[in-house]
Amino acid sequence: MELSLLQQPLCGLTLSVVAYGAGLLLQRRWRFMHPLFVCSALIIFVLITLHIPFEDYKKGADFLTILLGPATVALGVPLYKYAHLIRSNLRRIGVSVLAGSIAGITCSAAIVGLLGGSKSIVLSMMPKSVSSPIAIEISQHLGGVPELTAVLTTMTGLFGSMFGTQILRRLRIKDDISIGIAMGAAAHGIGTAKVLKDSEVQGSFSGLSMALCGILTSLLFIPVYIWVG
């Protein structure tokens, strides 16, 4: 294969689409397997095997990021559809999202601290439960490692999407609203995409929870900014 062909934007775009398609096929066999997990692994394997620089791959893959905007806006449709449920559960949503945000920050710091992680790893780990753009921004301001935060945030979303609902079922939590809030608070956008396939109500509350957790987490980090200096 000619190097010039690998450097074409179409190469990165095609690789992303084919890898995600492979992920969807494997998900039919193993339903817990998130397509993004398989897609990421395949892309990394191809880039390493064919010695394709990430920058060349990114030229094509960036076309797909254009779709993120409309996809995010589309989450507003189910929110509008279930606005009556949201209004009648405002207190429940507020308390749950606040508890989820605090738990996400403190548990991350405690686990890394107990395992002997350095300060920079702790600061990189703490915002991992919110969506990547917010988590990376928080990590940069705290003095963490944004690249590490991006990886940890993605892994958190993938783990939550593959095992989150199973864990909740084991805990005998079957209510759609509770599952949606928990998934949005713990697994952000990736978890929201997963539960949206299972239930529109779960997806609506997960999207709302994800958005509120992003705002609350940013505010909760203000004392940490002051402490870090």
Side-chain angles (χ1 to χ4, degrees):
M1 191 174 294
E2 293 294 334
L3 182 62
S4 58
L5 177 61
L6 298 177
Q7 292 174 331
Q8 295 298 318
L10 189 59
C11 175
L13 179 62
T14 304
L15 176 59
S16 300
V17 173
V18 171
Y20 190 77
L24 288 174
L25 288 175
L26 287 179
Q27 192 185 35
R28 293 182 183 177
R29 175 68 177 80
W30 295 286
R31 289 186 58 81
F32 74 95
M33 187 75 72
H34 197 288
L36 192 57
F37 179 78
V38 179
C39 177
S40 302
L42 280 176
I43 290 172
I44 292 171
F45 175 78
V46 172
L47 295 185
I48 293 175
T49 304
L50 298 181
H51 305 288
I52 301 175
F54 176 74
E55 291 71 20
D56 291 342
Y57 160 75
K58 193 171 179 289
K59 289 175 187 173
D62 275 348
F63 284 114
L64 294 173
T65 60
I66 298 172
L67 302 176
L68 284 176
T72 304
V73 172
L75 287 175
V77 176
L79 281 178
Y80 175 77
K81 189 174 179 180
Y82 295 100
H84 61 289
L85 272 180
I86 294 172
R87 281 196 295 270
S88 59
N89 288 279
L90 279 179
R91 181 179 299 179
R92 180 181 175 187
I93 294 169
V95 172
S96 301
V97 167
L98 179 61
S101 300
I102 294 173
I105 297 169
T106 54
C107 288
S108 301
I111 290 171
V112 179
L114 289 173
L115 292 175
S118 64
K119 182 181 177 182
S120 65
I121 296 179
V122 172
L123 295 176
S124 303
M125 182 81 166
M126 288 172 73
K128 66 167 181 53
S129 294
V130 295
S131 55
S132 297
I134 299 174
I136 292 170
E137 193 68 25
I138 291 173
S139 178
Q140 283 178 329
H141 282 84
L142 287 177
V145 182
E147 293 80 6
L148 179 59
T149 301
V151 173
L152 292 171
T153 302
T154 304
M155 289 177 64
T156 300
L158 287 174
F159 182 85
S161 68
M162 290 193 287
F163 304 109
T165 53
Q166 296 179 42
I167 293 171
L168 292 172
R169 285 196 199 99
R170 292 288 181 96
L171 296 172
R172 299 184 179 180
I173 297 173
K174 300 178 181 178
D175 177 58
D176 281 344
I177 296 176
S178 300
I179 293 173
I181 294 173
M183 290 295 287
H188 51 82
I190 301 177
T192 298
K194 194 274 176 187
V195 294
L196 195 57
K197 291 181 180 178
D198 300 336
S199 161
E200 204 171 50
V201 175
Q202 290 181 19
S204 303
F205 278 85
S206 184
L208 177 65
S209 174
M210 175 186 70
L212 292 176
C213 277
I215 298 170
L216 267 177
T217 299
S218 301
L219 294 174
L220 288 170
F221 267 107
I222 292 176
V224 184
Y225 293 141
I226 297 171
W227 173 64
V228 172

